[in-house]
Every structure is written in C-alpha cells, then in structure tokens.
Amino acid sequence: MEFKLMMSSETASDSNLQDLTRELCRDLNDKTDVAAKIPKGTPKPGEKGDPITIGTILLSFLTGGAAVAMFDVLKAYIQRNKSLVFKIVGPHGEVVEVRGENLTKKQFEQIMPKDFLKQK
C-alpha cells in the first residue's frame, strides 16, 4: 500500500525544498521501516530528462511501528525549519496535514484517520 508525502514551505526555494526532500527520503529509508522513494514526474513536450515532483516522496510502511518512527523524523525536520508543512495522502485519498502547531504525538493521533496507517 503506497502513501504520498508532500513537503512544502513558504520560505524555501524550489531548489532548497528538493534538497530537503532528498535528505528526508534518505532519512526515512535509514531511520524507519518506511520504504521511501522520490517519484518521477511526467515530461512536458519538448523537455529533456526525467522531471521530478518537487517536495514529493512515495512511502510504503513495512511495519506497524513505521508511522511512529516517521512522525519522529518529521518532527526533527519541523524543529529545524518551522515553515515546513507535510501532507500525507493515503491510498484512498485520505489526507493528514502536519505542521508545527499540530505536531504533538497526541494531536498527530487525533488527526490521523483510524485506518490511515493500518497494514492490510
């Protein structure tokens, strides 16, 4: 089951945001039981190379504890840069938005739909 994590910031340039996206992807793969990858976009007519979707990471949760570990990684990123906003889109279109002001574990659990991160 694949989820999409989209990172945005009002203050970061596209280049900085994509650098952060690559760093976050590596951290999720290294520090959690989440398989994370950066998707390739659809090329526009006349463009060369493989375009990327800025700020987007595709996620597959390998264990039940992976969501908690991912929360800890996202928390570390937001503590470093308060302007970051994360949207997590589930396989059925459910959306959770994570910002600095709703980043306590209790609040995170309250905003997560009950079946959002359950393994099937």
Side-chain angles (χ1 to χ4, degrees):
M1 189 176 321
E2 194 168 78
F3 293 77
K4 187 184 295 185
L5 172 68
M6 296 176 290
M7 179 172 37
S8 62
S9 169
E10 292 181 6
T11 61
S13 68
D14 285 352
S15 176
N16 288 343
L17 189 59
Q18 194 56 31
D19 289 344
L20 271 174
T21 303
R22 286 186 197 97
E23 180 183 339
L24 176 58
C25 189
R26 278 191 305 271
D27 285 345
L28 289 171
N29 282 315
D30 293 345
K31 298 176 182 178
T32 70
D33 286 333
V34 175
K37 66 181 179 180
I38 297 176
K40 294 188 180 191
T42 306
K44 294 180 183 171
E47 288 185 347
K48 295 181 179 181
D50 293 324
I52 54 174
T53 305
I54 294 173
T56 302
I57 300 173
L58 300 178
L59 310 170
S60 295
F61 293 86
L62 305 176
T63 66
V68 173
M70 182 185 76
F71 166 82
D72 290 335
V73 171
L74 296 182
K75 182 177 179 180
Y77 274 75
I78 287 178
Q79 287 173 337
R80 288 188 340 218
N81 183 342
K82 300 282 188 204
S83 74
L84 291 177
V85 176
F86 296 99
K87 284 187 182 177
I88 305 164
V89 181
H92 306 294
E94 56 277 69
V95 178
V96 174
E97 186 170 296
V98 180
R99 304 172 162 265
E101 62 268 12
N102 70 350
L103 197 59
T104 67
K105 281 191 181 182
K106 183 176 180 179
Q107 288 169 321
F108 185 73
E109 290 168 1
Q110 289 173 349
I111 64 173
M112 295 293 285
K114 298 234 185 280
D115 295 339
F116 190 69
L117 296 178
K118 281 190 176 177
Q119 296 293 310
K120 297 194 179 194

